[in-house]
Amino acid sequence: MSLKEEVQKRRTFAIISHPDAGKTTLTEKCLLFGGAIQTAGAVKSNKIKKGAASDFMEIERQRGISVATSVMSFDYNNCKVNLLDTPGHKDFAEDTYRTLTAVDSVILVIDCVKGVEEQTERLMEVCRMRDTPVIIFINKMDREGRPPFDLLDELEQKLHISTRPLAWPIGMGSDFQGVYNLYEKSLYLFSANKTKISDDIVAIQDLNDPELDKTVGERAANQLREDVELVEGVYEPFNIEMYRAGLLAPVFFGSALNNFGVKELLDAFTRIAPPPHERESANRVVAPEENKFSGFIFKIHANLDPRHRDRIAFLRVCSGKFERNKFFHHVRLDKNFRFSNPYAFLAQDKEVIEEAFPGDVIGLYDTGNFKIGDTLTEGEDLIFKGIPSFSPEIFREVINTDPMKTKQLEKGVQQLTDEGVAQLFIQQPGNRKIIGTVGELQFDVIQYRLENEYGASCRFIPMNVYKACWLTSENLEVLDAFCRIKAKDIAFDKDNNRVYMAETEWQLNMTIRNNPEIQFHFISEFTTTEHMERK
Ligand code: G4P
């Protein structure tokens, strides 16, 4: 098969949702329909369970599961589908954001009872930053949810995206009878059944066909006719270019738990979701069909066995062909590496692979050479854009509580932040280490892992910081002067970029207003062009 054909076959995506909307259930059902697993219940929830016996055991359990389910690949409709897992807990949101840089599209799951929830909005903001195409699956239609038109309005308003239903539900909750597929013009009949995997389908080309009344009853049939007329009148016809540009989200309805609407979703997904496309690097745009290999690391996973310090770095192939045992260029380190045991993931299994193509995600054993955002190429100094680091929400200073283990602490903090567990900022004088995270749970993870994997111990002092902003300015003198004056509020991130630590929103707004020549950014990139210049 040619490289172009390999590229066209790939569909690399993630399922995202607010916790509890049904991401794990839908993931499992996709694997079931894709033939990657045989029985339901094989995919474990990677949610941190509330009230579990020990938080730390729970963290380890979660880490174990998230290695096993990092990537799940299966074949469906002549496509090679790569489903990338994202953590369920909101404290690990940053991990999810990074994974979203490695996918070509997403399926967003909405609970029809709850509608758009907080985490849904944040995830969509990240999708919009990269114009990631989104398909929406409105789940739990077997429950009494909100009226479908209200849900669609809410999606448009809160997620700032146009929607286009491609299927329409008939009833809801105890009256849910199925969906009418608007482009196939057929009726999918619902029966609450967690084990059945094929839907009963009735082809109804014309909604005035009396067969419809016979099948769903006169009242529901008339309601459907009315609804569909409204849908066709209000919504523009589905436009695949708009979807692929991230401007229009097709909407499906179903019940993942009852296997209903999942096959239909997957069929539409493989038909319309984009294969790998061009990717911007700091230097130029890279096309997947280019012969030379390139890829970037978007996630690093530490070994669960503390006696082995090696880690798994997850690489997304962007162009050309990755080959086992071939030397590739590590751009940041300016060194060549080869990999004798690259892994591909097949649902619960992993296997050593000989080659991988654009869209594929492979696991590389790493002894500490990789950071998130690193690029591998066949020699060119490419750096891929779009692996942002977001301004954390909680900041704490790390205090060493065992002076005999200073080195271990340094190393541990360095490696854990390389992995992306949290962000590290250094403040002078005194080399103060500040850890910034999006959730409380990371501090438990860091403390526990420092102790267990590095033999170091620490405590955290809360800091009064509202936001960390990365700074840029056309006028370097102005920026230098600002950093001198505000020295006590300036810290350095891992790449030695200056960040301004604002104590309050008010202070930040004042500072922004008083310094018009300086730009304050809430989002950085792990790898910057500045990096290239320093090399
Ligand atoms: P998440 O990964 O997005 O957090 O959600 P998950 O799939 O774990 O689903 C959350 C809960 O919603 C689960 O119930 C799951 O069974 C249920 N669920 C998923 N899809 C549907 C659906 O189509 N209809 C209905 N009625 N429920 C659905 P749970 O009680 O929290 O867990 P479990 O004990 O059933 O595993």
Side-chain angles (χ1 to χ4, degrees):
M1 205 183 283
S2 71
L3 176 59
K4 197 166 173 206
E5 285 165 331
E6 293 283 2
V7 172
Q8 288 307 316
K9 257 180 78 166
R10 298 298 192 277
R11 300 286 182 277
T12 302
F13 80 115
I15 299 179
I16 53 175
S17 77
H18 187 90
D20 274 348
K23 182 173 76 74
T24 311
T25 313
L26 184 62
T27 300
E28 178 170 287
K29 298 305 161 75
C30 286
L31 297 181
L32 206 60
F33 282 96
I37 54 170
Q38 266 62 50
T39 50
V43 178
K44 295 196 187 65
S45 169
N46 62 5
K47 277 184 286 187
I48 303 276
K49 285 191 183 141
K50 281 199 195 86
S54 145
D55 281 349
F56 305 126
M57 277 177 63
E58 192 52 28
I59 289 163
E60 288 297 281
R61 186 190 73 91
Q62 203 263 358
R63 284 174 65 211
I65 292 167
S66 51
V67 174
T69 60
S70 281
V71 195
M72 294 160 275
S73 298
F74 56 92
D75 292 319
Y76 191 84
N77 279 355
N78 293 327
C79 287
K80 181 171 180 221
V81 180
N82 297 315
L83 169 51
L84 271 54
D85 191 32
T86 54
H89 197 283
K90 78 168 178 22
D91 284 9
F92 293 96
E94 187 118 4
D95 227 1
T96 302
Y97 303 155
R98 282 194 295 263
T99 298
L100 292 181
T101 64
V103 301
D104 299 312
S105 69
V106 302
I107 293 180
L108 171 65
V109 187
I110 301 281
D111 180 333
C112 72
V113 182
K114 297 194 174 138
V116 174
E117 296 172 85
E118 183 204 334
Q119 193 64 9
T120 327
E121 290 185 62
R122 298 199 61 172
L123 289 163
M124 269 300 290
E125 271 170 37
V126 179
C127 291
R128 259 202 316 278
M129 275 168 53
R130 299 182 61 246
D131 301 322
T132 307
V134 180
I135 295 179
I136 298 175
F137 182 71
I138 299 189
N139 191 28
K140 306 196 187 179
M141 292 301 291
D142 57 318
R143 289 203 179 155
E144 295 302 334
R146 310 239 302 268
F149 281 113
D150 288 3
L151 283 168
L152 294 179
D153 283 350
E154 188 186 41
L155 287 167
E156 296 212 340
Q157 266 169 25
K158 291 202 176 155
L159 304 181
H160 310 285
I161 189 164
S162 303
T163 57
R164 176 46 161 119
L166 290 186
W168 195 257
I170 304 160
M172 205 179 235
S174 52
D175 291 335
F176 184 52
Q177 301 207 51
V179 293
Y180 183 68
N181 188 314
L182 295 166
Y183 61 91
E184 281 175 10
K185 307 221 178 296
S186 45
L187 195 62
Y188 285 70
L189 294 173
F190 174 73
S191 60
N193 191 333
K194 294 176 194 162
T195 48
K196 195 171 110 176
I197 60 168
S198 67
D199 300 328
D200 294 326
I201 308 169
V202 184
I204 292 189
Q205 290 300 322
D206 178 0
L207 279 177
N208 291 319
D209 189 337
E211 189 63 27
L212 180 65
D213 302 71
K214 261 194 248 156
T215 321
V216 299
E218 203 182 310
R219 206 165 63 97
N222 284 336
Q223 183 69 48
L224 177 67
R225 288 183 187 113
E226 234 174 71
D227 287 351
V228 170
E229 199 182 321
L230 197 57
V231 168
E232 300 296 356
V234 170
Y235 295 93
E236 297 282 319
F238 176 65
N239 176 320
I240 190 164
E241 274 80 36
M242 292 238 325
Y243 155 66
R244 288 190 173 180
L247 299 170
L248 176 74
V251 181
F252 292 86
F253 295 84
S255 167
L257 189 65
N258 292 294
N259 300 321
F260 185 78
V262 178
K263 184 175 175 301
E264 195 194 1
L265 177 72
L266 270 180
D267 286 342
F269 167 78
T270 44
R271 199 168 44 237
I272 65 174
H277 49 85
E278 293 176 334
R279 232 160 227 274
E280 248 184 87
S281 76
N283 334 50
R284 64 181 182 87
V285 171
V286 179
E289 297 84 9
E290 289 178 19
N291 279 329
K292 294 236 159 104
F293 160 79
S294 68
F296 68 92
I297 305 290
F298 65 94
K299 170 169 166 165
I300 294 176
H301 226 295
N303 200 318
L304 291 171
D305 181 349
R307 283 166 304 175
H308 301 283
R309 210 35 86 59
D310 56 347
R311 316 184 280 183
I312 303 175
F314 290 87
L315 175 128
R316 144 103 198 199
V317 181
C318 294
S319 68
K321 180 161 93 167
F322 174 92
E323 287 172 75
R324 184 162 92 97
N325 280 327
K326 185 169 172 176
F327 275 100
F328 290 120
H329 182 59
H330 186 312
V331 176
R332 181 176 53 86
L333 298 182
D334 196 13
K335 269 191 188 166
N336 291 337
F337 289 91
R338 65 190 181 128
F339 304 90
S340 49
N341 288 313
Y343 275 108
F345 301 82
L346 304 144
Q348 307 292 291
D349 285 332
K350 55 184 177 80
E351 62 171 30
V352 174
I353 45 125
E354 293 299 324
E355 53 187 31
F357 295 94
D360 287 344
V361 169
I362 51 177
L364 304 174
Y365 275 115
D366 171 39
T367 49
N369 292 312
F370 285 121
K371 279 191 197 183
I372 285 169
D374 277 346
T375 306
L376 282 183
T377 67
E378 286 196 32
E380 190 178 347
D381 274 348
L382 283 179
I383 286 185
F384 284 103
K385 280 182 158 180
I387 305 199
S389 115
F390 293 79
S391 179
E393 281 159 26
I394 308 172
F395 298 83
R396 287 184 193 157
E397 187 181 344
V398 184
I399 304 292
N400 186 1
T401 48
D402 184 352
M404 304 296 285
K405 298 280 170 65
T406 305
K407 266 204 174 137
Q408 284 86 335
L409 183 78
E410 296 267 334
K411 189 169 177 195
V413 169
Q414 191 65 43
Q415 292 205 343
L416 292 181
T417 47
D418 277 355
E419 252 179 58
V421 175
Q423 290 179 55
L424 175 65
F425 302 96
I426 304 285
Q427 202 165 38
Q428 302 299 353
N431 248 349
R432 293 165 64 203
K433 287 188 187 52
I434 298 163
I435 300 269
T437 69
V438 285
E440 289 282 342
L441 204 55
Q442 265 96 337
F443 291 101
D444 290 347
V445 174
I446 292 169
Q447 210 163 25
Y448 172 75
R449 290 188 55 191
L450 280 175
E451 242 176 88
N452 281 270
E453 292 166 38
Y454 299 89
S457 62
C458 71
R459 65 188 170 88
F460 298 107
I461 304 184
M463 291 186 64
N464 199 11
V465 177
Y466 161 69
K467 278 254 149 76
C469 301
W470 285 268
L471 304 169
T472 55
S473 174
E474 301 263 289
N475 189 336
L476 278 183
E477 274 173 32
V478 169
L479 187 58
D480 286 344
F482 173 84
C483 293
R484 260 197 317 277
I485 297 164
K486 298 272 181 197
K488 76 168 186 34
D489 299 323
I490 299 292
F492 293 85
D493 77 358
K494 277 160 57 65
D495 295 320
N496 237 354
N497 298 311
R498 287 180 281 203
V499 288
Y500 170 64
M501 303 266 190
E503 275 187 18
T504 61
E505 190 175 1
W506 180 84
Q507 186 197 38
L508 178 61
N509 289 337
M510 280 289 287
T511 313
I512 292 174
R513 206 169 317 133
N514 294 339
N515 294 277
E517 281 195 79
I518 298 174
Q519 286 83 49
F520 295 76
H521 308 274
F522 294 120
I523 299 166
S524 94
E525 302 248 333
F526 270 96
T527 328
T528 59
T529 38
E530 217 183 81
H531 238 120
M532 293 281 284
E533 284 148 21
R534 258 189 274 131
K535 245 182 61 181

